[in-house]
Amino acid sequence: MPELSTIYDYMRTHAALLGERILQEYPALQQFDDAVSPRIEGLLRRPFPAQTIAIMGLAKRWQEARTGMVVAECGTGKTLISLGAIEVHSRGNPFTALAMVPPHLVEKWAREAFLTLPGLRVFLIDDLRNGGDENKSHGVNEVRLRRGRILREGLQTTLSELRLRKDSSSSRKRWLSLCGRPSLFIVGRERAKLGYFWRHAYRVPRSGPYVGCVVNSDTGKPVILDDSRLTAGEFEKVKIAETIETRGEKSCRQMHSPLWQADSDKIRRMAPIEFIGRYMPEWFDYAICDEIHQLAGDTAQGNALGTLASCTDRIVGLTGTLLGGYADDLFNTLFRLEARRMKDHGYEWGTTGRSSFIHDYGVLETITKVEPANNACSKAKATSTVRRKPGASPLLFGEFLMQLCAFVFLEDISGELPSYEETYLSVPMGAPMQEAYRELEEDMRKALKAHRGNRSVLSTMLNTLLLYPDHPYGIGTLYGTEFDPELKRRVRFVIAEPRELPEDRIYSKERKLIEEIKKELLEGRRCQVFAVYTQKHDVTARLQRILSNEGIQSAVLRASVDTSKREAWYARQVKDGVQVVICHPKLVETGLDLLDFPTIIFYESGYSLHTLRQASRRSWRIGQRRPVRVKFLCSEGTMQTSCLRLMGKKLLVALTMEGKFAGEGLQSIDEDDDMLSAMARELVERNCIGETADSVWKALSTEHQKLFPTKSHREDETSSLSIESPGIKLDDQSAPADLVEDAMDTASVVVFGQRPQSLSGKKRRRRPALPEQASLFGST
């Protein structure tokens, strides 16, 4: 026996035994050679082999538990998988299903449901009322598919009517007697959570020690926020609440004290999902929550997810981006789907439970500062700060995700996708811009040091330094606010006065954008350009003006275009000969297929990892015939570079929880508790955090090529995309020892939720050479 000096030597020596044990201890619910339900043959759309495995796996999961999740890339058929699983699990019995989806995907879901399940009736829940604006639909309306269009035809009713049993023994039996067929109800999540109107609730004493101050009605004391008193002018369009431990002069148990209440002057209404949860429990057999990652916050939409999970018999969540870089991104979602399991692990809902969850599965950084003593007789003062950092323990996958999720990748669906390339382009600033930026940066640095911990300075710093290279004019004097103990109110102070540069000048980053667009247009490739500043300092309008002056036909997609009409809007632009479309990436984050725009350019990236990953894959999907290129532009040596580098580091963690244990995804990432603080620290200390953006992206490029080895395509735009037939027969698995060998091989990555190539029975395809530039995103 060879000498075993490292754990890697041990694993290679005992690869066969370890591989057999892994397959015995963690068998998949649906194996490649397991029989499939005959009901899959009855689907109107025949699923691919990978989709069939996911359908059967989800159906078997529902036999063991009420919940399940499908984590699949954009374009892999999450709708087909969820509807197919319902068809298999229902075993031919009439069912009622409720799908809560993004508002712009309501009609698309209805269309795909008609094209997937035979004999299905589809209904749209427009609202809870049966009256109102005559130009809008109300109540619950049946829809039908006519020549590819969804039209409201057939039964019209309301949720209030559906809950009545009348002459039947139950309202559900009454519905089955009326419908007699499987039925799917679809509601946009914006309407699903549309509850009562609210207003702020606080008091302002006219006498006493707190005269003129905002006080909590429960305590009679001022509201303290960030070590300063909250004023009436600081109540914005968000609900504010306190956790109190005293009422008046007496102590009480810790309780939640909201500073808002229902507005009796506005129309009284109830959210449809709240109505279903309260008056129609167990009425629906199945619930589907599309884009479940967008429901992870403490919001009304997030609470609607919890309501659905509690009032339906089976539920499935669909997402393409499971994690945003932090372990606790999953806390709310897991608690809403599997509350009992979370409680069994000792967690409770709220801040305390989240802190425990981060401690167990996240990455925390403890910083202890020891201040020197003023004299020899006193002890030094030590303060400790605990900060949350991007990162997640692999135990999180084993404890919660492995049995809950089915992972499907685009490569599983079609092995003949065109090539996908991501490029990082760092553009040096011109001399005037660089001088003005460094001057602004120095002013920000001084303000940060003078007002340590002031969040108004931090947020102003972040937004201004990200914006200035793209819009160096019209910003004006920058102000921050702080509490003045003498005046007992917040006062303004000047942070900086950015230098005004000429508006009519074309700057280096803009010239690079024009150069890249013209290069793509010469190849007959339309371009989609993303920018995040679209309001007061509108970068999208400036880009459209610059491109028009260069003779490039462009259009700007605004948020005013209704979500349900954006697909048609893009079709009109293509028909009208538009070469470049400019918009905020969030407007096309989900649901849209931009097959006509094979080149995507992020002129500005923003700092939402979910949005960036989703938007970057709008073109690379089944049906795309051309190689897809995604380019990220940033001004060299600015906050834009820092932002992209930090997001690249967070992505490595996100890929880990999606089953792609790659590179640095399991390592501690040298980053502060959030991007805002990380950038502030980097600015103050003039010291880059970790690697350069280019090195991070090259590491991601390596992992992307390992995980998604696409077949190389020629740049010939007329070449067609061939997709393998869904009827592929999968070969028997090979020796389990290869599993461990692959895990130890540094040139390959074992992907959870995906069988290693050595076990699939297929011959390995040669990996294409790694591109010189970097790939930021492994999946969406």
Side-chain angles (χ1 to χ4, degrees), residues 365-369 383-387 672 681:
E365 179 185 58
T366 301
I367 301 175
T368 302
K369 295 182 180 180
T383 58
S384 296
T385 304
V386 179
R387 294 175 173 173
D672 273 297
R681 186 180 76 174

Side-chain angles (χ1 to χ4, degrees), residues 311-322:
C311 69
T312 55
D313 189 52
R314 298 289 188 273
I315 184 171
V316 59
L318 311 178
T319 182
T321 51
L322 180 64

